[in-house]
Amino acid sequence: MIVEAAGRLFFGAGFARVSMDDLARELRMSKKTIYRHFPDKRSLLAAVLDRQFAIVERTLVAAAEDAEEQPFGVRVQRFLIAAGSELGRIGAPQLASGRGDAILRQYVEQRVDAVVYQRLDELFREGHRQGVLSAPPELLSEITRGALERLLMSQLPRELDWTAADLLRATVDTVLYGAIRPADRGIDDEQPRAVIPTARDDDQEVGP
């Protein structure tokens, strides 16, 4: 009951704005009773986040199962939309990168990595094993992590008047689809490579 009420307040008004007095009033109980179960506000938030990350994990498992028979690009897209929606709802990126308790930030980073990014890494590795991806899975993981975290903390949803889901779909289209081979090409077909320009062609001499 305490964890449920704390979650409502923390995610509604923001962790920093909610005091233990506020929580006691919400629950109609004394702070002493709350402290009997949770010695401080940080331990209570950790319990709230444990519960929320369990929900995130269930959501991601369900999204992966629903998209299991879909093309690889659709599977990645649905995974990221589910992950972004859940992480945005609980404010995980802000908790992990914002100011405040260093131990709490580390805890959130570890939970996001275990629940979201390790699954994303495995999804990219699977795509690479299947020959669907032409880019290294490690590179795609880094790009997608950065894009997802940046997007969740940006003002773009307000500026563009798009929903978070719309922006995540656009992110997947922009970042990932260029790395996915068309279905009618073989794994060993030659792929286009990035061209690194030189200062001048070899046959043009540069004088002193």
Side-chain angles (χ1 to χ4, degrees):
M1 184 173 64
I2 293 171
V3 171
E4 183 177 353
R8 286 198 307 272
L9 292 179
F10 289 164
F11 297 133
F15 173 68
R17 296 181 180 178
V18 177
S19 68
M20 296 299 267
D21 287 315
D22 295 330
L23 181 58
R25 281 194 295 271
E26 174 75 11
L27 289 165
R28 297 181 180 179
M29 64 174 58
S30 68
K31 284 196 296 183
K32 183 178 180 181
T33 303
I34 297 174
Y35 285 128
R36 190 178 302 137
H37 298 279
F38 301 97
D40 51 38
K41 188 178 172 184
R42 189 178 71 191
S43 64
L44 176 55
L45 179 60
V48 169
L49 289 173
D50 276 338
R51 181 181 181 183
Q52 292 304 126
F53 275 112
I55 295 172
V56 172
E57 191 164 15
R58 288 196 296 271
T59 300
L60 294 183
V61 169
E65 290 175 349
D66 289 344
E68 193 170 0
E69 302 302 322
Q70 296 293 324
F72 182 76
V74 174
R75 293 173 59 198
V76 173
Q77 185 186 69
R78 290 188 182 176
F79 179 90
L80 288 176
I81 290 171
S85 299
E86 289 296 314
L87 293 179
R89 187 169 60 82
I90 67 176
Q94 292 85 348
L95 286 169
S97 59
R99 297 177 181 177
D101 193 312
I103 296 176
L104 177 61
R105 288 201 305 274
Q106 185 180 29
Y107 170 83
V108 173
E109 288 170 356
Q110 290 171 347
R111 295 295 289 150
V112 171
D113 184 72
V115 172
V116 178
Y117 291 135
Q118 288 184 23
R119 282 185 167 82
L120 181 63
D121 293 346
E122 178 51 38
L123 187 55
F124 283 137
R125 285 194 293 268
E126 180 186 341
H128 192 261
R129 287 193 298 268
Q130 294 173 354
V132 178
L133 296 176
S134 60
E138 298 83 1
L139 174 62
L140 291 176
S141 290
E142 286 300 311
I143 292 173
T144 310
R145 287 184 188 214
L148 178 60
E149 291 176 0
R150 176 66 180 173
L151 180 58
L152 288 173
M153 297 181 67
S154 76
Q155 297 300 313
L156 277 179
R158 292 198 192 103
E159 293 173 4
L160 299 180
D161 195 25
W162 283 19
T163 66
D166 289 335
L167 286 172
L168 284 167
R169 287 188 186 98
T171 300
V172 173
D173 290 343
T174 303
V175 175
L176 293 181
Y177 276 103
I180 297 176
R181 291 190 176 104
D184 57 348
R185 298 183 67 173
I187 336 178
D188 298 325
D189 290 351
E190 184 179 352
Q191 295 296 312
R193 301 292 179 184
V195 177
I196 303 174
T198 55
R200 296 181 66 90
D201 292 337
D202 292 339
D203 58 350
Q204 292 180 340
E205 297 292 338
V206 179

